[in-house]
């Protein structure tokens, strides 16, 4: 194998910043979902005496860390017109999305990588969904009562808003993981998104 073909093989599909953001958000969201299955939220105080209450504390801190990764993601989108157009093509071009839908109907997947199309649009919608969870969760984190103080009106109104979209997050996560394995079975270069150093 010559040097040029080796370099081409090793060149990552995604920029390094995208890979780090994906890792931070993906790990954070996964931990959030898994801890939500077993944690016991205690809105009355922040003293955690059981494993399930410790999981609630872990859930809160991981959520805050994930919110920082999301802030980084939104700052990158705000400074990149190309990223905005890929994730949120409200004014088009729509042709890549129609092409991807037609290919899916025929049982074909577009090769992975950063490009406009259906995958980018779904990533953008997923980013909005996760950002809603992070925003409401972060506000809850900072308004969580300490030392037995009863939860205030703001906290009590935010809790159902935070929980309202959790099933959509699960659906997004399951679809995301399912398509990862579909690309893996096709031997696509989907693992490039997890290679943080190269």
């Amino acid at each position: 194998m010559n040097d040029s073909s080796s370099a081409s093989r090793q060149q990552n599909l995604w920029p390094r910043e995208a890979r780090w953001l994906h890792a931070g958000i993906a790990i954070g969201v996964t931990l959030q979902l898994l801890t939500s299955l077993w944690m016991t939220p205690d809105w009355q105080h922040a003293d955690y005496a059981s494993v399930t209450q410790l999981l609630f504390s872990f859930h809160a801190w991981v959520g805050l860390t994930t919110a920082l990764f999301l802030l980084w993601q939104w700052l990158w989108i705000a400074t990149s017109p190309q990223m905005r157009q890929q994730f949120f093509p409200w004014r088009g071009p729509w042709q890549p999305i129609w092409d991807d839908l037609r290919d899916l109907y025929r049982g074909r997947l577009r090769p992975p990588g950063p490009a406009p199309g259906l995958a980018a649009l779904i990533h953008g919608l997923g980013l909005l969904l996760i950002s809603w969870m992070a925003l409401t969760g972060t506000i809850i984190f900072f308004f969580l009562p300490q030392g037995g103080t009863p939860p205030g009106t703001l906290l009590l109104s935010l809790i159902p808003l935070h929980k309202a979209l959790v099933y959509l997050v699960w659906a997004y996560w399951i679809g995301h993981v399912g398509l990862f394995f579909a690309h893996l079975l096709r031997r696509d270069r989907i693992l490039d998104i997890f290679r943080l150093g190269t």
Side-chain angles (χ1 to χ4, degrees), residues 3-74:
D3 290 343
S4 62
S5 62
S6 176
S8 173
R9 181 181 62 81
Q10 293 177 357
Q11 183 179 8
N12 204 302
L13 297 172
W14 286 273
R16 181 175 294 188
E17 189 171 12
R19 286 175 269 146
W20 278 97
L21 284 166
H22 179 266
I25 296 169
I27 291 169
V29 170
T30 301
L31 289 173
Q32 293 292 92
L33 288 171
L34 294 177
T35 54
S36 72
L37 294 174
W38 296 287
M39 70 183 189
T40 302
D42 191 341
W43 309 114
Q44 298 296 326
H45 56 77
D47 299 323
Y48 307 108
S50 69
V51 172
T52 57
Q53 289 176 324
L54 284 171
L55 282 174
F56 178 53
S57 180
F58 181 73
H59 180 91
W61 283 101
V62 170
L64 193 62
T65 304
T66 307
L68 293 175
F69 275 95
L70 285 162
L71 178 61
W72 177 11
Q73 176 75 74
W74 282 111

Side-chain angles (χ1 to χ4, degrees), residues 72-89:
W72 177 11
Q73 176 75 74
W74 282 111
L75 289 173
W76 191 24
I77 290 171
T79 57
S80 171
Q82 181 182 2
M83 290 269 298
R84 285 196 303 276
Q85 187 174 19
Q86 281 185 18
F87 282 160
F88 308 110

Side-chain angles (χ1 to χ4, degrees), residues 72-138:
W72 177 11
Q73 176 75 74
W74 282 111
L75 289 173
W76 191 24
I77 290 171
T79 57
S80 171
Q82 181 182 2
M83 290 269 298
R84 285 196 303 276
Q85 187 174 19
Q86 281 185 18
F87 282 160
F88 308 110
W90 311 133
R91 297 181 182 177
W94 290 96
Q95 194 58 48
I97 296 168
W98 299 129
D99 291 345
D100 288 349
L101 286 169
R102 186 181 64 245
D103 287 344
L104 273 179
Y105 179 74
R106 295 173 179 169
R108 294 197 299 257
L109 280 177
R110 183 190 195 125
L118 184 62
L121 174 62
I122 291 173
H123 274 90
L125 295 173
L127 184 61
L128 289 171
L129 175 64
I130 300 303
S131 297
W132 170 257
M133 300 296 284
L135 176 63
T136 55
T138 299

